[in-house]
Amino acid sequence: MEEMSPDNIHGVILAVSSSIFIGSSFIIKKKGLKKAGVSGARAGEGGYGYLYEPWWWAGMITMIVGEIANFAAYAFAPAILVTPLGALSIIFSAVLAHFILEEKLHMFGILGCVLCVVGSTTIVLHAPHEQDIESVKQVWHLATEPGFLAYSAVVLVVVLALIFYYEPRYGKTHMIVYVGICSLMGSLTVMSVKAVAIAIKLTFSGMNQFKYFHAWIFIIVVTICCILQINYLNKALDNFNTAVISPVYYVMFTTFTILASMIMFKDWASQSGLQIATELCGFVTILSGTFLLHKTKDMGNSASLRGSTSHSPRDTPVFINSGSSRSSNSTRPAIL
């Protein structure tokens, strides 16, 4: 096992800090929403009283800090290292909810947290080193190589097909349509975000990168992709159960992001087959923990309601909306 580079260490610290802030923000915001709901209409009923609640704004500020840290992490470490660590925010959110909001964490939920930690540690210890990039033009050269251009073309064709053909026909009944659009565009978003983050890092070090048009093109791509993602993610959340969307979106988004990074930045070019296999095992471990945590997150709260009407796991639609109720609990279906 190779020693971690200083840039990777900085990236890991920023990514973990991001997860702590974002995971905490959900709990702080929910505390504010509950306090606002006591004196007025709840947010789910169309009320906006939470805008006057300091706890909610504290949660928003915490989330913004977390997203800034996540953005900065891409300037130091490869996406294959930073993106999977987003699962840690789910752990912090679940643990804090257990102690602060008294939303009990089931034994299987604890096992899911452990799996996420083990998988994240495996990836951190075996992640490839970040390339030495001295100019945003170097990132542009990587983005315009035939391999990544082919990947981008395939993504755009599939996304356009999903938007103009499948979404009008199947969008409200098949979750995979919305999640597919968000995940595919998300992989391009992360590559562009990484380019912008590198440009900012180099500019702060004394080499202005925003004098090159390449940096501004990456900024435009980030803006367009983020708008599309937010639009279709909102549609997905409006039509399907959040408890189902979150893990499926996390899996697809992370998978396509790792694939895009592998093609564009050639993250695995300097690694052995054993190192790559170990990273993949770590990724699968994180996915298993994420699904387990989401699938059992309500077990602790419903233990006393076993005598009432219960739903089998099979009743939860994964790809088809069968009219089930939507969850009001939000976890991190992160865009970045």
Side-chain angles (χ1 to χ4, degrees), residues 98 105-115 292-293 296:
H98 177 80
L105 189 61
H106 191 267
M107 179 181 66
F108 288 111
I110 296 174
L111 178 59
C113 292
V114 172
L115 288 173
L292 187 60
L293 188 58
T296 62

Side-chain angles (χ1 to χ4, degrees), residues 81-95:
L81 173 59
V82 175
T83 306
L85 292 180
L88 296 178
S89 65
I90 301 173
I91 296 176
F92 291 115
S93 180
V95 172

Side-chain angles (χ1 to χ4, degrees), residues 113-255:
C113 292
V114 172
L115 288 173
C116 287
V117 171
V118 171
S120 299
T121 303
T122 302
I123 290 179
V124 167
L125 294 178
H126 296 86
H129 291 177
E130 176 74 330
Q131 290 189 33
D132 291 327
I133 295 178
E134 300 177 354
S135 170
V136 72
K137 292 193 291 184
Q138 188 176 345
V139 183
W140 178 264
H141 174 73
L142 295 172
T144 53
E145 287 187 348
F148 190 72
L149 286 178
Y151 172 81
S152 301
V154 170
V155 166
L156 291 177
V157 169
V158 173
V159 167
L160 289 174
L162 289 172
I163 290 175
F164 293 106
Y165 181 80
Y166 290 98
E167 195 269 337
R169 294 170 174 80
Y170 309 109
K172 293 184 178 180
T173 55
H174 291 71
M175 182 186 70
I176 197 68
V177 175
Y178 293 133
V179 175
I181 294 171
C182 294
S183 302
L184 288 165
M185 294 305 295
S187 66
L188 299 183
T189 303
V190 170
M191 297 305 101
S192 300
V193 162
K194 185 170 179 63
V196 175
I198 290 173
I200 293 174
K201 183 179 76 170
L202 293 174
T203 298
F204 277 120
S205 67
M207 297 179 287
N208 183 18
Q209 299 298 301
F210 292 96
K211 63 183 179 182
Y212 304 117
F213 73 90
H214 313 83
W216 296 102
I217 291 179
F218 284 124
I219 291 174
I220 292 172
V221 172
V222 169
T223 304
I224 294 173
C225 290
C226 282
I227 291 173
L228 277 173
Q229 281 180 262
I230 292 171
N231 179 43
Y232 286 99
L233 184 58
N234 284 337
K235 289 185 178 183
L237 293 171
D238 190 48
N239 287 282
F240 299 93
N241 194 316
T242 307
V244 181
I245 291 174
S246 296
V248 174
Y249 178 51
Y250 172 78
V251 170
M252 292 184 64
F253 168 76
T254 307
T255 300

Side-chain angles (χ1 to χ4, degrees), residues 78-80 127-133 138-149 191 194 257-272 276 279:
I80 192 174
H129 291 177
E130 176 74 330
Q131 290 189 33
D132 291 327
I133 295 178
Q138 188 176 345
V139 183
W140 178 264
H141 174 73
L142 295 172
T144 53
E145 287 187 348
F148 190 72
L149 286 178
M191 297 305 101
K194 185 170 179 63
T257 298
I258 289 176
L259 177 61
S261 182
M262 182 182 67
I263 295 172
M264 180 172 169
F265 291 97
K266 302 174 180 61
D267 291 328
W268 287 341
S270 60
Q271 291 196 295
S272 65
I276 295 173
E279 290 167 24

